[in-house]
Amino acid sequence: MAAPVWKPDPEKHDFPAAEDFLDLLFTPDAVANIVHRLQHGKTVVKKAKDVLRASRLPLLAEDNLHVAHNIDKVSAGRKLSPVLLVRGQPLLIADGYHRVCAIYYLSEDLDVPCRLA
């Protein structure tokens, strides 16, 4: 089911969004390294439930503005951008938290294309 729901690669604007988030957690050099690895990494597939569980983030409400927007996009046949993740304890969702939650509501077992750094 990954093909109809997801774009093959993250959108260009996803990387600056990830950079803004990561800048709150890491030094500028570390952020540059992580973003470079996300931009040039291979896209892998993980289950929505596993991404959410590894991140230890709560499932946002289905009526959250951004979650609902992503659910509507999928329902309209538009594709979502893969999510950007950073390995750690916990896993960091550098960009795509709302997309993960939206897919979880469609089915927690759906595949989520990810770039991991």
Side-chain angles (χ1 to χ4, degrees):
M1 177 143 195
V5 176
W6 298 97
K7 294 178 180 184
D9 295 303
E11 296 182 44
K12 290 189 188 298
H13 67 83
D14 294 336
F15 297 104
E19 186 175 9
D20 285 345
F21 171 74
L22 295 170
D23 189 50
L24 297 169
L25 302 171
F26 300 103
T27 66
D29 288 342
V31 171
N33 181 294
I34 293 167
V35 171
H36 177 80
R37 292 185 354 234
L38 290 170
Q39 289 171 323
H40 299 285
K42 180 181 173 191
T43 301
V44 298
V45 177
K46 301 295 179 188
K47 298 291 183 199
K49 64 184 176 185
D50 294 333
V51 172
L52 204 56
R53 190 171 62 187
S55 73
R56 299 185 192 144
L57 292 170
L59 176 63
L60 295 172
E62 191 171 2
D63 64 354
N64 171 284
L65 178 67
H66 301 290
V67 174
H69 174 72
N70 283 299
I71 291 171
D72 290 344
K73 281 177 77 169
V74 172
S75 297
R78 297 193 331 249
K79 296 181 180 182
L80 302 177
S81 182
V83 301
L84 305 178
L85 306 174
V86 180
R87 282 189 174 98
Q89 300 294 326
L91 175 76
L92 298 176
I93 301 177
D95 185 70
Y97 180 31
H98 296 98
R99 295 189 297 275
V100 171
C101 292
I103 291 302
Y104 188 96
Y105 280 110
L106 298 174
S107 172
E108 66 184 46
D109 290 317
L110 284 178
D111 290 336
V112 176
C114 312
R115 292 275 178 95
L116 276 164

